[in-house]
Amino acid sequence: MTSTFHSIETAKRSLFTQTAALNTTGHNIANANTEGYSRQTVRMRPSLPIEAFGMNRSNAPGQLGTGVEFSAIERIREKFLDGQFRGENSSNGSWTVKYNTLDKLQAIINEPSDTGIRTVLDKFWKAWSDLSKNPEDPTGRKIVVQTAQALTDGLNHVSRQINNLDRDLNASVDLKAQEINGYLSSISDLNQSIARIESLGDNANDLRDQRDLLTDKLSKIINISVTETEQGYNISLGANQLLLEAGQPPAVNVDGEFLSTAFDSNSLTDGEVYGMIYSSRNYITNYRNQLDQLANTIATGETEVTIPQGSRLPAGTVLSENAEITLNGNVSMLPAGQAMPEGAVLNKDAKMIVKGLNGLHQLGYTIDGTVNPGKPFFVGEASAGTIQLNPEIAANPSLVATSLRVDGLGTDAHVVTGNNSLVILLANLKDNIFVPTQNGQKGTIGSLFNSMVGQLGVEAQDALRQMDNSETLVEQVNNQRQSVSGVSLDEEMSNMIMFQHAYGASARFMTTFDQLLDKLINSTGVVGR
């Protein structure tokens, strides 16, 4: 048996339900451009019929419905796509940092260019070549000194910039650690808020969106795995390192040391922080070492030279092959590996191994009025950041050694200042094959530098390709997510019109029954009126 006001209640339920649907549609439209927002929908269902099946069921035909009600307001979200997005987002973060680091290294090395190390090296070798034409020319000597200073300044400057880039990367790791702690703390708070709200039977849709947005941002910084429980999200670094347990504050206080340890243990395998630590330990370290090796090779790298006939080498010099010498008017053979005696002169060309430009420069003689051998041309040659032109040579260009010949003995000995044998050998070092002391790689100074520049270009190109690919994958997965969770204004406008018409029809239905009840109550039961 239905109530007299049954239809009024049916209309009321419909009005309430359509109002909820319209409000939800308006909420979707308002947040169409809100980052991380997932569209929401009202779950409608028929309300319980007036009589359920039972022993006392009415004999009236049919089972009369009672209208509509909504069971929940739900957000539309696909967890599988969330997991895919976070994985690709971590990879993109890593490759973006790697490419940016390599791109900055390319800007620091600045090759090819008219102002880079290659140009300075070429001018340095050319200055020696020009000096060989007139070794007594003071202007030529000053140019050699100036180009040498320009070379060391260039190496020092590049080294400083690389070190600054390394410091920036390490500082960025610490900043990212603070950002991670902030995200974990916010997600922890949201876990608790969501659990409280949903314990009352409601869906905390907007809070869940905020939590997912923070989790997405966290996934760009480090590689994370997310597990949802009744209490909220459990978040781990990699597969095993727990960062946040649902219902609890963050499990660890993330700092640079923690992230470095995670990198070493292979827990940290992706994300911006991984890219920073990887870039510092691999790209920066590698190119800094190669630059240091270049500076060290120029100064002290082993190379073979041919000492010309008539040269008088400083006492103690060791040749790498048997040599015929004249000493005190007597001709004799000097075995390979035996020290050159004082005053001995080579009768024939002889080969020897010298320790870079420093070693070769110390075989010759200057024009300072003495017969003392040349001084080391460079000092602080252990790294590109410390190599300098010898301050004594910088202050007195006459200390640049150019000659290999000395006439006379004892107090009558004097340097043949016009001899250019040494300066020719120094100029020809440009094309000599060197054996760097660190890894044994052979090559000319130019080829060693070109190898470094070429490697940097290849690695930067590969990182750019990987970054572009990862950005494409992130965009592709995000587009799939948006096709599921994103707000379509056209669809929402269509829904709004549909709910509006349903609301209007329900209101008309209520008005109709109001008129019927008015007729029933006020116009019946009074005889003769």
Side-chain angles (χ1 to χ4, degrees):
M1 181 73 181
T2 61
S3 166
T4 303
F5 297 96
H6 166 77
S7 295
I8 295 293
E9 288 295 323
T10 298
K12 183 188 75 172
R13 291 189 188 93
S14 178
L15 290 173
F16 286 170
T17 301
Q18 303 307 325
T19 298
L22 282 168
N23 288 335
T24 301
T25 300
H27 185 54
N28 287 340
I29 293 172
N31 288 280
N33 297 315
T34 301
E35 183 184 12
Y37 179 79
S38 302
R39 68 185 178 94
Q40 299 177 15
T41 184
V42 174
R43 293 301 182 190
M44 301 181 188
R45 67 183 182 189
S47 57
L48 290 175
I50 196 167
E51 286 186 343
F53 178 79
M55 295 293 295
N56 297 321
R57 180 181 181 277
S58 171
N59 291 323
Q63 187 182 50
L64 190 61
T66 58
V68 67
E69 63 183 8
F70 63 97
S71 58
I73 299 177
E74 300 176 347
R75 65 176 190 151
I76 307 300
R77 192 88 177 191
E78 178 57 62
K79 292 182 180 179
F80 173 74
L81 293 177
D82 285 341
Q84 275 195 323
F85 176 83
R86 289 162 188 159
E88 297 299 342
N89 204 29
S90 292
S91 178
N92 178 247
S94 172
W95 282 112
T96 298
V97 171
K98 289 179 181 179
Y99 171 70
N100 288 339
T101 301
L102 290 168
D103 189 47
K104 290 175 182 177
L105 281 172
Q106 283 187 309
I108 290 172
I109 301 299
N110 193 26
E111 293 292 345
S113 73
D114 295 332
T115 58
I117 298 297
R118 160 58 68 184
T119 299
V120 178
L121 268 173
D122 288 343
K123 290 180 179 179
F124 176 69
W125 298 125
K126 183 177 184 300
W128 285 110
S129 179
D130 291 342
L131 181 61
S132 69
K133 299 172 185 176
N134 185 4
E136 297 177 286
D137 180 19
T139 301
R141 290 173 171 272
K142 289 181 180 179
I143 292 176
V144 167
V145 168
Q146 290 169 355
T147 55
Q149 288 177 323
L151 175 60
T152 57
D153 288 346
L155 291 171
N156 296 163
H157 178 66
V158 171
S159 180
R160 281 196 302 271
Q161 287 186 305
I162 292 177
N163 290 334
N164 289 339
L165 178 57
D166 194 23
R167 282 193 292 271
D168 288 344
L169 286 171
N170 292 325
S172 296
V173 170
D174 293 332
L175 291 175
K176 288 298 179 181
Q178 297 177 18
E179 195 173 345
I180 291 169
N181 288 326
Y183 285 144
L184 291 175
S185 179
S186 297
I187 293 172
S188 176
D189 292 341
L190 286 168
N191 274 343
Q192 298 177 35
S193 298
I194 292 169
R196 282 196 300 268
I197 291 173
E198 295 189 345
S199 67
L200 302 175
D202 295 325
N203 292 328
N205 296 322
D206 293 324
L207 294 182
R208 281 180 169 270
D209 283 343
Q210 293 178 33
R211 184 175 65 181
D212 282 331
L213 178 60
L214 293 176
T215 306
D216 289 347
K217 291 183 176 180
L218 181 61
S219 71
K220 192 175 184 68
I221 302 175
I222 53 177
N223 56 295
I224 58 174
S225 57
V226 182
T227 305
E228 185 173 6
T229 68
E230 292 182 358
Q231 289 75 36
Y233 279 175
N234 290 339
I235 297 180
S236 298
L237 176 61
N240 302 317
Q241 181 65 58
L242 183 65
L243 299 178
L244 177 65
E245 184 177 1
Q248 302 294 328
V252 294
N253 180 35
V254 177
D255 57 17
E257 183 178 354
F258 171 85
L259 293 170
S260 179
T261 302
F263 180 92
D264 293 334
S265 63
N266 292 324
S267 295
L268 179 63
T269 58
D270 243 335
E272 292 176 334
V273 173
Y274 173 82
M276 292 171 185
I277 298 176
Y278 182 92
S279 296
S280 176
R281 295 190 182 184
N282 291 273
Y283 299 145
I284 297 294
T285 299
N286 177 36
Y287 290 107
R288 180 165 49 203
N289 288 343
Q290 288 195 54
L291 193 67
D292 289 345
Q293 181 177 284
L294 178 70
N296 188 263
T297 300
I298 293 172
T300 61
E302 288 189 357
T303 186
E304 186 179 68
V305 296
T306 300
I307 306 298
Q309 175 185 354
S311 298
R312 179 169 162 178
L313 301 178
T317 302
V318 177
L319 299 175
S320 57
E321 65 178 8
N322 296 336
E324 183 180 303
I325 62 172
T326 298
L327 180 61
N328 298 324
N330 298 318
V331 177
S332 62
M333 292 298 296
L334 180 69
Q338 184 172 327
M340 180 77 72
E342 178 73 31
V345 177
L346 290 177
N347 286 348
K348 295 181 180 179
D349 293 352
K351 294 181 179 180
M352 68 174 296
I353 302 297
V354 296
K355 296 286 188 178
L357 197 143
N358 276 3
L360 184 55
H361 189 262
Q362 292 178 85
L363 295 179
Y365 305 93
T366 68
I367 62 169
D368 65 346
T370 71
V371 291
N372 297 326
K375 299 178 181 293
F377 195 78
F378 294 109
V379 295
E381 68 277 358
S383 72
T386 59
I387 189 171
Q388 295 290 334
L389 174 65
N390 190 319
E392 294 183 51
I393 297 176
N396 184 7
S398 67
L399 294 179
V400 174
T402 55
S403 176
L404 284 174
R405 294 199 177 188
V406 176
D407 287 341
L409 296 173
T411 57
D412 294 331
H414 62 277
V415 175
V416 180
T417 57
N419 177 260
N420 64 353
S421 300
L422 179 63
V423 73
I424 288 175
L425 291 177
L426 289 166
N428 289 340
L429 285 181
K430 174 182 179 181
D431 300 317
N432 267 40
I433 301 296
F434 284 80
V435 181
T437 57
Q438 293 184 8
N439 61 13
Q441 178 185 359
K442 295 183 179 181
T444 65
I445 298 296
S447 67
L448 292 174
F449 183 71
N450 289 342
S451 174
M452 180 181 71
V453 173
Q455 180 186 359
L456 177 58
V458 170
E459 287 188 329
Q461 187 177 25
D462 182 63
L464 176 61
R465 179 182 61 82
Q466 295 280 15
M467 183 184 72
D468 289 341
N469 289 344
S470 64
E471 285 179 351
T472 300
L473 290 173
V474 169
E475 184 179 359
Q476 183 180 36
V477 175
N478 193 48
N479 287 339
Q480 291 176 342
R481 286 208 308 178
Q482 290 301 312
S483 68
V484 175
S485 303
V487 175
S488 168
L489 290 178
D490 291 339
E491 182 180 353
E492 297 301 327
M493 292 297 291
S494 176
N495 288 340
M496 183 173 65
I497 293 172
M498 179 178 65
F499 298 142
Q500 179 186 11
H501 281 301
Y503 184 93
S506 298
R508 174 57 61 188
F509 174 66
M510 178 175 282
T511 300
T512 299
F513 265 88
D514 179 61
Q515 292 174 351
L516 291 175
L517 291 174
D518 178 65
K519 189 68 174 177
L520 176 65
I521 294 171
N522 295 319
S523 301
T524 60
V526 181
V527 179
R529 175 182 291 182

